Amino acid sequence: MSLYKYLLFLFLGLLFACKKEIKPPVEPGPEPTEDDHIKADIYDYFNKYSLWTEQIPDLDEEGRLEFVKKYSSNNNLLAALKNMTPFYAGYNGSIDRFSFLDESNTEGNLSYADGFRMDTNEGYGLYYGWGILSSSATVAYPVIFFVEGGSPAQKEGVTRGSIVYAVNDDEDITVGYNGSNLNQADVRRVGAKLEAALEANTLKLKVETASAEEKVFTIGYQNSYEIDPVILDSVYTYPDKNIGYLAYSSFEEVWPNTHQNYIKLEEIFASFKGANIKDLILDLRYNTGGYVSTAEYLANKMVNAANHDKLMFKYVVNEYLATSSQHRSSFQDVYFENQTNQLKLENIYVLVTEQTASAAELLISVLKPYLNVVLIAETDRTYGKPVGFFAEEIEDITLWATSFKTINAGGYTDYWDGMEVDISGVNDYIFKDFGDPEEDMIAKALETAGVSIPTSLRASSRKTSSAQRGVKLGIINQPKERNMLKKKD
């Protein structure tokens, strides 16, 4: 064989030996669904707005669509995004425990009365705690500790401090108590009854009120009612001073100045000004927050006119929100402004619980550098939420990403574990109504304000006579969180 033929056969053998197997073309993956695109938008807006955006990877649209395929629901995706934020030891988890989605497919908890935006709720507006009627009692009853303003229960005349003896004619609603603990099987059984009753179309209650009157109420369920956040306002009159009292349940919208909430608050502050009060008891014990703009309005009413133009608070936001032409104007520093019916307060005694949160804490925070603010509580702190949100609509879903933090004029912020209180260990005595000077927290505020009150009414003396007094043993249901909300400009 010639050398030429040998080399030719060798070349052809190598050629066929090295030839790749031809595989069929790869089928393209399924096109992203509408749900995938919604999830990708959730990722995008969370990354843009989150206070901790540095922890969230920047992905293009294709990357976002690929990332979100791993999550079966919008809430699972949001949980994963929140888990990317820094670890906080106080929560034993990610610091963002606040961001949430509203997937109600409605306008949310909003209504429009006379053309004005108002927050609403649904149901009866009733909130219960467990209470024993004396220290030697062996059973606990449901006790109404809060009736929301504007609710069906409030309109029917149901009041705080009412002991519930029957629900829909069922008197088997007590739970066992052994002197230190409630019977948990009873708690679950009766709790389920109360929960079911609060979801029914009508509710019948047999109660004994705080003033020892026996009453029966029949109440209709409402799918939507407009919240009246003013629980009670009054002036305590004493020989040496007048003291204002305002129980405020949530920071609902007050603007424009023709809004009914604005008009009502203006009348209240006019009465306080007319009484020349220097001390105010501000009852925020169940206030879980609301609108930043309402906290600003109330702060302007309470701070002396001499502090006009002084810093109220600053926002902390991420770089995108701070520089975006669409958003930056919403996060400028906020300064005090003169108001009509502005008070000349010296002291504010704020009644708080671990439910006191968000915009309620913001109001407390901004007043601290300018007034003597005394926090009075059962425990040693408030809830702890120095951050807030604004809404981003994504189809039928609303994303509330934790997007801003506030800092007061003294640099105070980061109260993630709650604000420390000044006076702790004072009972939230749910057997007395709001405004009653014999209720423990109010009595402690009056005592701290220097009012001379009978020894029997002093909170310090009540523990010695507790055998004849009711005792709160826990909460059954509580008002839902209102957060710290801001409208987009």
Side-chain angles (χ1 to χ4, degrees):
M1 180 182 295
S2 69
L3 178 62
Y4 173 77
K5 288 182 178 180
Y6 173 79
L7 292 175
L8 177 61
F9 285 133
L10 179 63
F11 173 76
L12 292 174
L14 290 171
L15 177 63
F16 285 106
C18 296
K19 185 177 180 181
K20 289 184 178 180
E21 180 184 356
I22 299 175
K23 296 181 179 179
V26 177
E27 292 293 329
E31 288 294 315
T33 65
E34 182 179 354
D35 285 346
D36 291 333
H37 282 287
I38 290 173
K39 289 187 181 79
D41 285 345
I42 291 171
Y43 187 108
D44 186 33
Y45 284 116
F46 187 89
N47 189 22
K48 284 179 178 175
Y49 298 158
S50 173
L51 190 61
W52 303 280
T53 186
E54 294 85 357
Q55 313 297 319
I56 313 300
D58 290 324
L59 301 175
D60 60 16
E61 183 176 8
E62 183 178 351
R64 293 193 294 271
L65 287 168
E66 185 63 30
F67 181 89
V68 303
K69 286 179 181 178
K70 296 178 284 187
Y71 301 98
S72 59
S73 71
N74 298 326
N75 275 304
N76 286 344
L77 169 63
L78 182 62
L81 294 171
K82 290 161 66 174
N83 284 338
M84 294 179 187
T85 64
F87 178 84
Y88 180 65
Y91 303 158
N92 193 30
S94 302
I95 196 166
D96 187 0
R97 60 173 179 169
F98 309 113
S99 297
F100 67 100
L101 291 168
D102 177 3
E103 299 187 87
S104 61
N105 296 320
T106 68
E107 289 187 334
N109 292 323
L110 305 176
S111 74
Y112 292 83
D114 298 326
F116 302 132
R117 186 180 186 285
M118 300 189 69
D119 277 321
T120 67
N121 207 344
E122 62 181 346
Y124 296 102
L126 283 173
Y127 301 90
Y128 303 107
W130 294 116
I132 54 174
L133 307 188
S134 70
S135 63
S136 60
T138 58
V139 296
Y141 291 86
V143 181
I144 296 169
F145 71 85
F146 175 51
V147 182
E148 188 162 56
S151 68
Q154 186 264 331
K155 290 177 180 177
E156 287 294 329
V158 183
T159 55
R160 169 183 161 95
S162 296
I163 304 162
V164 182
Y165 290 126
V167 175
N168 296 332
D169 295 321
D170 182 359
E171 296 183 356
D172 182 21
I173 56 169
T174 60
V175 303
Y177 179 65
N178 65 8
S180 56
N181 296 297
L182 294 172
N183 182 301
Q184 291 304 304
D186 286 351
V187 168
R188 290 188 292 272
R189 176 180 57 82
V190 177
K193 283 186 180 183
L194 295 174
E195 182 178 349
L198 289 174
E199 296 296 327
N201 290 331
T202 59
L203 176 66
K204 184 178 179 182
L205 296 177
K206 179 182 177 182
V207 307
E208 180 183 327
T209 69
S211 56
E213 295 179 83
E214 288 193 4
K215 291 188 176 183
V216 175
F217 296 98
T218 301
I219 313 165
Y221 187 99
Q222 277 189 238
N223 290 321
S224 179
Y225 62 83
E226 292 158 0
I227 297 169
D228 180 356
V230 176
I231 304 170
L232 183 71
D233 66 281
S234 62
V235 175
Y236 302 113
T237 302
Y238 298 97
D240 55 343
K241 66 168 65 179
N242 294 332
I243 299 176
Y245 174 82
L246 175 61
Y248 200 66
S249 68
S250 52
F251 287 69
E252 309 302 337
E253 185 63 272
V254 295
W255 302 107
N257 60 11
T258 48
H259 194 298
Q260 66 186 45
N261 288 342
Y262 177 92
I263 293 169
K264 188 169 187 176
L265 285 169
E266 285 291 312
E267 291 171 351
I268 291 168
F269 280 95
S271 72
F272 287 163
K273 186 175 182 180
N276 194 32
I277 68 167
K278 298 291 192 296
D279 301 85
L280 174 66
I281 299 173
L282 182 60
D283 197 335
L284 302 178
R285 66 184 89 185
Y286 310 128
N287 192 311
T288 62
Y291 289 99
V292 172
S293 58
T294 304
E296 292 175 18
Y297 166 83
L298 290 170
N300 278 319
K301 288 293 187 186
M302 295 175 188
V303 166
N304 295 335
N307 294 311
H308 173 63
D309 287 337
K310 290 184 179 178
L311 179 67
M312 185 185 294
F313 67 93
K314 293 183 177 184
Y315 288 101
V316 176
V317 295
N318 67 31
E319 184 178 0
Y320 171 78
L321 291 177
T323 58
S324 164
S325 59
Q326 180 182 358
H327 299 289
R328 64 190 178 199
S329 63
S330 297
F331 299 106
Q332 301 301 306
D333 295 350
V334 179
Y335 293 85
F336 286 103
E337 301 173 359
N338 277 333
Q339 294 275 334
T340 58
N341 299 321
Q342 194 162 9
L343 305 180
K344 297 179 180 179
L345 293 177
E346 297 172 358
N347 306 293
I348 296 184
Y349 305 95
V350 191
L351 312 184
V352 299
T353 66
E354 290 188 9
Q355 296 176 52
T356 306
S358 298
E361 292 172 309
L362 174 62
L363 177 59
I364 294 166
S365 173
V366 302
L367 294 175
K368 276 179 170 286
Y370 301 100
L371 290 166
N372 178 39
V373 178
V374 180
L375 301 189
I376 299 171
E378 273 192 315
T379 61
D380 60 356
R381 64 184 183 90
T382 61
Y383 180 83
K385 186 186 285 189
V387 290
F389 325 76
F390 58 87
E392 183 62 48
E393 307 292 337
I394 305 170
E395 300 294 336
D396 292 333
I397 297 166
T398 305
L399 170 66
W400 299 88
T402 305
S403 54
F404 63 86
K405 183 173 72 172
T406 60
I407 303 177
N408 77 2
Y412 180 56
T413 187
D414 289 338
Y415 40 88
W416 303 105
D417 297 314
M419 293 179 161
E420 292 184 8
V421 305
D422 301 286
I423 303 173
S424 61
V426 182
N427 292 328
D428 172 20
Y429 192 61
I430 62 175
F431 297 88
K432 294 287 187 183
D433 203 353
F434 290 102
D436 189 331
E438 296 187 21
E439 190 277 324
D440 289 30
M441 296 184 86
I442 298 173
K444 173 56 73 173
L446 293 171
E447 184 181 337
T448 308
V451 172
S452 178
I453 59 178
T455 302
S456 61
L457 299 185
R458 293 178 188 167
S460 58
S461 72
R462 296 182 180 207
K463 295 176 183 178
T464 62
S465 60
S466 61
Q468 303 305 317
R469 303 181 76 234
V471 179
K472 182 180 79 171
L473 295 177
I475 298 299
I476 300 173
N477 64 323
Q478 61 188 37
K480 63 184 176 181
E481 204 168 323
R482 310 297 290 180
N483 299 298
M484 181 153 61
L485 310 177
K486 189 170 178 64
K487 293 189 297 182
K488 286 200 292 187
D489 289 344

